[in-house]
Amino acid sequence: MTHLDTELQALKTDLLRMWSLVIDQITRGKKSLLELDQSQAQLIVMNESRVNAYELKIDRDCENLFALFNPVAVDLRCVLAVLKINTNLERIGDNAESIAKFVIDVDEHSFDKKLLEITKVVEMYERGCEMLVDVYNAFDSEDATIAKSIFEKDKLLDQINHEATRTITKYIRENPDNIEQALLVLSTIRKLERLGDQIKNIAEEIIFFVEAVVLKHASKSRRTPL
């Protein structure tokens, strides 16, 4: 194994550790929202600094790899993919923190849990968790097939997000005293929809790394090999 190979393996290991932490953040977030568990939400907020620290370290390590080894071909694609995946993971961590702060602020005794049921926000969370684990496994095993399955799975998040405005509007008409709660749940749904987009971005980077195919801004019929 060359020195570059060793450094690339260390880079991937750090990214997977960050990924595991972000998966834990999202999984914990689903539990905290479902149970309105503010102690779980507090842990998410506390752990966000760890996610940010990983992001800074991985960025720095990628810069060092470019400067010291001038990687090419698949090694270059790997470092470029790690850089972009790193950014998306940090943003997913930000979304988890934002939702956790909503749980911390809500009054669990007056919160109408019917909102979680009618908006299908918990179903969104479950699908998001599943997708995040899938892309982790796709990167770890360098399996583009798993990464490609993400695009179909994201359709559920898009569908729930699309229906959310109508559902929340109807709820507010029937429950005018709960406008703030309804809008906070709608904000959570929007964040989970962005979570799906960020996971799709990660899937695209895995496909780029493994197959040298650029999917960004291209239809399925116009994939661009490098």
Side-chain angles (χ1 to χ4, degrees):
M1 183 178 285
T2 66
H3 190 186
L4 174 58
D5 290 335
T6 301
E7 293 298 321
L8 285 172
Q9 188 56 53
L11 183 66
K12 291 178 187 177
T13 299
D14 277 344
L15 185 69
L16 289 171
R17 285 173 179 163
M18 177 187 183
W19 216 318
S20 295
L21 177 58
V22 172
I23 289 171
D24 183 70
Q25 292 280 85
I26 293 296
T27 304
R28 196 183 298 276
K30 184 191 76 171
K31 179 178 172 63
S32 71
L33 182 64
L34 184 61
E35 300 176 5
L36 295 180
D37 187 333
Q38 295 182 341
S39 62
Q40 292 287 330
Q42 291 281 7
L43 283 172
I44 294 169
V45 174
M46 290 170 57
N47 280 334
E48 176 60 14
S49 61
R50 293 177 58 201
V51 176
N52 292 338
Y54 267 118
E55 185 207 15
L56 292 173
K57 181 182 186 302
I58 291 168
D59 269 353
R60 188 166 56 247
D61 289 345
C62 287
E63 291 170 3
N64 289 337
L65 276 167
F66 284 129
L68 296 174
F69 298 102
N70 193 26
V72 296
V74 66
D75 294 335
L76 174 61
R77 297 200 307 273
C78 177
V79 181
L80 290 172
V82 167
L83 266 174
K84 293 183 181 180
I85 291 170
N86 184 42
T87 298
N88 279 282
L89 287 175
E90 192 276 333
R91 289 173 180 166
I92 291 170
D94 285 345
N95 281 336
E97 181 187 29
S98 295
I99 296 171
K101 287 179 177 177
F102 155 59
V103 175
I104 291 169
D105 291 339
V106 77
D107 183 347
E108 61 180 307
H109 301 294
S110 65
F111 184 76
D112 185 1
K113 286 197 171 183
K114 178 185 175 184
L115 270 167
L116 303 182
E117 179 184 345
I118 64 173
T119 58
K120 301 181 182 178
V121 65
V122 176
E123 189 177 349
M124 279 189 92
Y125 238 131
E126 289 172 348
R127 176 57 61 89
C129 291
E130 176 190 338
M131 291 166 60
L132 192 55
V133 171
D134 283 348
V135 286
Y136 174 100
N137 291 331
F139 181 81
D140 188 32
S141 61
E142 299 183 11
D143 189 333
T145 301
I146 298 174
K148 290 172 184 176
S149 72
I150 292 300
F151 305 107
E152 185 66 29
K153 290 181 178 180
D154 182 59
K155 290 180 180 178
L156 175 65
L157 302 189
D158 291 338
Q159 178 186 346
I160 294 173
N161 178 60
H162 180 72
E163 295 169 354
T165 300
R166 182 173 65 252
T167 303
I168 291 293
T169 300
K170 182 175 183 292
Y171 177 86
I172 288 174
R173 288 198 188 104
E174 296 170 355
N175 303 271
D177 294 337
N178 278 353
I179 291 175
E180 184 178 0
Q181 289 183 12
L183 292 178
L184 285 169
V185 171
L186 181 60
S187 175
T188 298
I189 289 170
R190 299 296 190 242
K191 288 180 172 62
L192 290 172
E193 192 276 333
R194 285 196 292 275
L195 166 74
D197 290 341
Q198 287 149 355
I199 293 173
K200 284 196 299 183
N201 291 343
I202 291 172
E204 289 176 355
E205 294 307 322
I206 294 168
I207 295 166
F208 166 72
F209 162 41
V210 175
E211 295 189 341
V213 173
V214 177
L215 294 184
K216 195 172 184 66
H217 304 310
S219 68
K220 291 181 181 179
S221 63
R222 294 189 295 111
R223 292 175 180 171
T224 307
L226 291 185

